[in-house]
Amino acid sequence: MSTISFEYFPPKTAEGRAALLEKTTPALQALDPAFFSVTYGAGGSTRDSTLGIVEALCAQGIDVAPHLSFGADDRDTIAALLQRYRDMGVRRLVALRGDLPSGMGSAGQLVYASELVAFVREQTGAHFHIEVAAYPEIHPQADSYDSDLKFLKRKLDAGADSAITQYFYNVESYFYFLDQCAAIGIDKPIVAGIMPITNFTNLARFSRNCGAEIPRWICQRIEGYGDDQESIRQFGIEVVTQLCQTLLDSGAPGLHFYTMNQIEPTRQIRNNLGL
Ligand code: FAD
């Protein structure tokens, strides 16, 4: 059976935090997700705010998966953070290399996710279920499609249990990717990352950076709506619902929604699905 899960980022303001915990979370929790995940700024730039949201969600009895990366942190700092999470009752992590926050320049360093996975296993044994990232349309810095696949396998072989993909709108890229993963011996679940269409300008900019393609027909349709936000909203829900339904019908092991800390349109898409 397919699961659903929801991703948050740590809000920057007290108002944002209160809205996330008191309004958004009860509404999304009612949709019966397997877990909520909370992103992490590489280099520890959101260490305290990620920890704070994770702690608050744990206190509500919610299954939370903090994202984690080494960034510029040393082993002791990450080991201490892992211990804090264990003490809170966290059982799941999303282990990443991460990207350096802009402005950090050469002051930061990046440690491959496979090394973090190995470190977490070394420190905490089988305690955590570890998720890693996967890229059906290839990670933008990868040397080649094949090398990116090889490094995904390395993360899973280092002890990760499953993967969550970067979002995509070309469903064929995901199915092709699953076939290629199977061909090199990857047999762990690869959950589909789902990005609802909210702010199209921001989405288009972000997609250029992370290497996710927005198909031309979607761009053309949205541009054709001009300032008609209601039509864009409805079209976005229709397109992403269709994408999710195709994934579910084809046996995708799960859908992980990048909620952007919003209830809608994730709730509407979820309610449209034959789950
Ligand atoms: P890795 O798996 O380490 O790979 C990074 C690149 O290096 C790839 O091109 C890979 O092919 C290559 N590579 C891997 N291993 C080796 C090796 N041994 N030698 C040479 N090359 C290698 N970013 C954040 O900052 N915070 C978050 O919370 C966050 N959450 C995310 C959640 C999901 C589900 C996804 C899909 C992405 C998320 N990201 C997040 C973005 C992610 O951090 C970036 O895409 C980052 O650039 C790569 O991280 P990774 O863990 O995939 O890296």
Side-chain angles (χ1 to χ4, degrees), residues 7 32 35 38 42 44 72 75 81 146 162-163 180 182 202 225 227 231 243-244 257 271 275:
E7 181 169 312
D32 200 22
F35 64 93
V38 185
R75 292 165 61 95
L81 192 52
D146 285 338
S162 48
Q180 298 306 304
N202 286 351
Y225 289 127
D227 291 334
S231 294
L243 171 70
C244 292
F257 286 85
N271 287 340
L275 273 165

Side-chain angles (χ1 to χ4, degrees), residues 4-40:
I4 58 165
S5 49
F6 298 132
E7 181 169 312
Y8 286 160
F9 59 84
K12 289 200 170 76
T13 63
E15 294 76 30
R17 182 188 149 95
L20 191 72
L21 295 174
E22 290 158 25
K23 204 165 139 243
T24 311
T25 301
L28 292 179
Q29 179 69 357
L31 304 177
D32 200 22
F35 64 93
F36 286 77
S37 81
V38 185
T39 64
Y40 187 78

Side-chain angles (χ1 to χ4, degrees), residues 7-8 37-42 66-69 94-101 110-115 132-135 138-144 147-149 151-152 154-155 163-167 193 206 210 256 258:
E7 181 169 312
Y8 286 160
S37 81
V38 185
T39 64
Y40 187 78
H67 295 208
L68 183 64
S69 49
V94 183
L96 302 146
R97 182 199 74 172
D99 291 315
L100 288 177
L110 291 171
V111 176
Y112 292 123
S114 53
E115 293 171 46
V132 289
Y135 302 86
I138 317 178
H139 185 263
Q141 291 152 7
D143 287 340
S144 69
S147 75
D148 211 26
L149 271 184
F151 292 128
L152 171 62
R154 189 175 290 186
K155 295 191 272 197
I164 301 172
T165 73
Q166 183 58 277
Y167 64 87
F206 186 64
C210 74
H256 180 76
Y258 298 103

Side-chain angles (χ1 to χ4, degrees), residues 60-125:
Q60 292 183 27
I62 288 172
D63 192 350
V64 196
H67 295 208
L68 183 64
S69 49
F70 259 110
D73 286 331
D74 60 20
R75 292 165 61 95
D76 289 348
T77 306
I78 297 300
L81 192 52
L82 289 172
Q83 189 56 48
R84 288 281 303 269
Y85 285 141
R86 283 187 79 154
D87 293 345
M88 284 176 203
V90 171
R91 301 296 308 224
R92 188 186 288 264
L93 293 173
V94 183
L96 302 146
R97 182 199 74 172
D99 291 315
L100 288 177
S102 55
M104 207 152 166
S106 57
Q109 50 142 12
L110 291 171
V111 176
Y112 292 123
S114 53
E115 293 171 46
L116 176 59
V117 171
F119 180 76
V120 174
R121 285 286 175 243
E122 174 198 308
Q123 294 287 314
T124 63

